[in-house]
Amino acid sequence: AKCQCKVVSRERTNCGYPGISAAECKKIGCCFNASVPSVPWCYNPKPKKVKKVCPSDPFHRINCGRPGIKPWECTRKGCCFRAHPAGVPWCFYHRNVEE
């Protein structure tokens, strides 16, 4: 993603080798920007930001509990709890989404 390549030039960490082309640099998952001299042009991107969310679609829930689990038991396991609708898990895992 473009935003992952917005790294201040003094904070760039080298990702390639001297003379690497922009195409080769991007092929190995790195960022390329040759506009600043004396800093790496092929550099590591910022890590992706990820947050945990409870899926809103009840049919995408992945069971994290057992029938009859109490809400506090579910949240103590680090899972989401929603006592509706019928026929889907009420205690279910978070999903990681990129910000």
Side-chain angles (χ1 to χ4, degrees):
K2 272 198 183 345
C3 60
Q4 285 181 263
C5 287
K6 288 187 176 164
V7 178
V8 185
S9 56
R10 69 177 178 274
E11 293 176 3
R12 291 182 185 176
T13 54
N14 198 10
C15 190
Y17 51 86
I20 191 171
S21 69
E24 191 61 33
C25 177
K26 289 174 181 164
K27 195 190 295 181
I28 59 171
C30 303
C31 302
F32 190 88
N33 180 334
S35 65
V36 183
S38 306
V39 297
W41 289 356
C42 181
Y43 55 95
N44 290 297
K46 289 181 190 172
K48 291 180 180 179
K49 287 188 177 169
V50 178
K51 64 179 180 179
K52 285 182 164 185
V53 296
C54 296
S56 53
D57 182 347
F59 299 101
H60 283 120
R61 293 178 182 175
I62 298 168
N63 196 1
C64 181
R66 55 175 170 68
I69 192 169
K70 304 272 185 270
W72 63 268
E73 292 175 297
C74 178
T75 53
R76 193 168 67 187
K77 288 178 72 172
C79 295
C80 306
F81 186 87
R82 291 210 187 103
H84 57 82
V88 296
W90 288 2
C91 180
F92 49 97
Y93 288 100
H94 291 92
R95 284 185 53 204
N96 290 332
V97 292
E98 291 177 18
E99 292 185 37

